[in-house]
Amino acid sequence: MTALRILFAGVFHWNAGSSHMIAEYARVASAAGCEVGVSSQLSRLDGTVDAHLPLVDDITWATHLVLVFESRQFLSTQQRELCEAVPRRRRIVLDPDGHWGPYVTVGADDNVGADTGEPWHRLYAELSDVILQPRLGDRLPDGAEFFSYFGMPDIHRLATDLPDSRALPYELQYVGANWWRWKAMTSLIRAATAARPPIERIRVCGRWWTGDPHSDHVTATANEPRWMEDHGVEVVPPVPFGHVVSAMSQAAITPVLARPLLAQMELLTPRMFETLASGSITALWPDLGYLSELYGDDVELFLLGDDPTDTLARILREPAHYRERLAAIQHRVHERFNYRAVLAELLSFTR
C-alpha cells in the first residue's frame, strides 16, 4: 500500500502563522505514518520560509492535496487545472479565515475581502467536497466540518516553572502583527499602565505597530504615530521563524488578541495554542470567552473582563494561583491538540 503523502499549498511566509503549522506537521509526519510536503508549483512563498518547509516540485508526488486559503485566493487558472493531477476525492480545502458560510462583517472588516462571497463558495466547491474550518461550538456552516488545523507546540515551559516576573525581561509582551488589533492593543496598554503598581516593562514584537501601514491594507494595519513610544512600549520586528514560543516565555503575561472578525466567528488562531505552550500567563481579550472549549471552566480566570486593569494587576500580585491553573490547562490542551494528534485527525479526512 502506498504511504500517504500529504501535499500542502497556500501562501506561506516566514512571519505568518500557517508556515509554522506546516513545519510542525512535517516534524511529526513520520510518527503519524505519512509524509508531508509543500507544493512549490501551487504555493506563494516569500523566499525566506522556503528553507524551513519541505518543498516538493512535482504535484504528482502527492496522494492527497490540502489547499489552505487564508486572506485571499492564490491559485491562477492554470494552477487550478494543475490541481486535477490529484483526484478530487483526495483534495481537501482548509478554511481558517471562515470564507465558506454566511457573510459576516465587523466594522470595516468582513470574511470575504476583495473576493465577494460567491467566488469563495464557487472556488471551494470546484476544488473539493471536504471543507474544514477551525470553528468552535455549533457555528459551523453547512458543508463544513471541524478541524483545528492549528495545534499546540510542545510545551516550552510549564507555567509553574516560569521565573518570578521581576526576573523576566518583560512584565507584558505581545508577539504578533497589527492586523485589526490596534484598538484592542492600545486599550490593553492603557489598562496595564493604569495598574497599581503600573506595568511598565512592555514589549510588542511585530509589524505595523509603528511607521507606515501596509500599503494594500491601510485600514487593517493603521496605527497612531509615536503612540507606542509615548506610552513607553518597546516595539521590535517580528521574532525569527521558529522562535515565537520561546520569545513569549520572556514575559510574565502574554495577551491573546484575536482579529475581531475571527472572534465573532469563534475561530481558532495559532496564538491561542502557542501562548499556552510558552508558559507565560495568558490574558484573554474579553471577546474570547468561547475558548472555554480549550480552557474549560478556568477560562473566566484568564479573561480580562470588564476591568482589564484589575485583572492584570491581580495576575502579577497572585501569580502562583494563575500558574497552577494554567499548568493543568497546558497538559490537557497539549494532550488533545499536540501536532501528532492534529495531523492524525487530518488524516482521518483522507480517502
Side-chain angles (χ1 to χ4, degrees):
M1 180 177 178
T2 303
L4 293 177
R5 293 190 296 272
I6 311 299
L7 187 64
F8 286 87
V11 178
F12 301 126
H13 294 168
W14 71 270
N15 52 9
S18 268
S19 302
H20 291 82
M21 308 304 111
I22 306 306
E24 289 280 3
Y25 286 153
R27 181 179 64 84
V28 302
S30 61
C34 69
E35 297 178 63
V36 165
V38 172
S39 174
S40 62
Q41 293 173 287
L42 301 177
S43 301
R44 295 190 184 181
L45 308 168
D46 63 4
T48 300
V49 77
D50 309 38
H52 301 280
L53 299 179
L55 298 187
V56 174
D57 296 329
D58 184 358
I59 194 173
T60 62
W61 171 89
T63 61
H64 295 79
L65 176 62
V66 179
L67 298 143
V68 184
F69 290 95
E70 294 182 282
S71 62
R72 63 185 186 272
Q73 298 182 17
F74 63 92
L75 295 175
S76 67
T77 300
Q78 292 75 18
Q79 287 173 317
R80 291 191 200 185
E81 294 173 354
L82 188 58
C83 290
E84 299 293 331
V86 179
R88 178 185 179 83
R89 63 188 178 84
R90 293 187 175 182
R91 300 197 300 259
I92 294 172
V93 166
L94 275 177
D95 185 33
D97 280 358
H99 300 301
W100 178 273
Y103 179 69
V104 181
T105 180
V106 175
D109 194 13
D110 61 41
N111 65 328
V112 296
D115 304 290
T116 60
E118 182 55 34
W120 280 111
H121 284 236
R122 189 166 56 246
L123 173 66
Y124 286 6
E126 171 190 329
L127 291 170
S128 178
D129 295 320
V130 181
I131 300 165
L132 307 180
Q133 280 187 357
R135 186 181 296 199
L136 292 172
D138 57 357
R139 303 187 61 182
L140 279 167
D142 291 343
E145 299 178 76
F146 173 76
F147 174 58
S148 69
Y149 179 38
F150 311 112
M152 181 172 167
D154 290 341
I155 296 173
H156 178 76
R157 178 181 280 165
L158 278 176
T160 47
D161 294 336
L162 200 71
D164 184 270
S165 62
R166 291 168 294 186
L168 289 166
Y170 305 98
E171 293 170 288
L172 186 147
Q173 178 184 229
Y174 183 75
V175 178
N178 172 24
W179 184 257
W180 300 103
R181 289 172 175 83
W182 180 259
K183 182 178 179 181
M185 177 60 76
T186 53
S187 296
L188 178 75
I189 292 170
R190 288 191 183 98
T193 56
R196 292 294 175 265
I199 297 173
E200 298 176 328
R201 289 180 290 120
I202 303 174
R203 183 169 81 161
V204 175
C205 308
R207 297 176 294 171
W208 307 311
W209 295 107
T210 59
D212 294 333
H214 190 294
S215 58
D216 295 329
H217 305 283
V218 174
T219 303
T221 59
N223 64 71
E224 298 177 30
R226 294 187 58 83
W227 194 97
M228 292 290 177
E229 180 181 347
D230 291 344
H231 286 77
V233 178
E234 178 186 353
V235 180
V236 298
V239 299
F241 189 92
H243 293 269
V244 168
V245 173
S246 59
M248 288 176 173
S249 71
Q250 296 177 341
I253 301 172
T254 299
V256 176
L257 309 176
R259 175 181 169 188
L261 177 76
L262 301 190
Q264 178 164 311
M265 298 172 71
E266 300 189 357
L267 287 159
L268 296 173
T269 71
R271 292 296 183 267
M272 295 170 183
F273 296 101
E274 292 164 336
T275 307
L276 278 178
S278 74
S280 179
I281 298 177
T282 308
L284 302 174
W285 198 241
D287 59 0
L288 299 180
Y290 64 91
L291 291 183
S292 59
E293 297 204 26
L294 296 182
Y295 284 70
D297 294 338
D298 284 334
V299 70
E300 294 292 336
L301 185 65
F302 298 95
L303 284 170
L304 290 170
D306 296 331
D307 190 352
T309 296
D310 179 67
T311 303
L312 292 170
R314 191 172 354 96
I315 289 174
L316 290 182
R317 190 171 59 247
E318 307 169 12
H321 177 59
Y322 286 86
R323 290 175 178 178
E324 289 172 5
R325 303 281 279 274
L326 189 61
I329 294 169
Q330 286 179 285
H331 284 303
R332 186 175 68 249
V333 175
H334 187 261
E335 182 178 0
R336 166 66 179 83
F337 291 99
N338 67 79
Y339 270 98
R340 183 174 176 179
V342 172
L343 181 55
E345 187 175 348
L346 176 62
L347 297 182
S348 72
F349 291 101
T350 62
R351 301 172 184 173

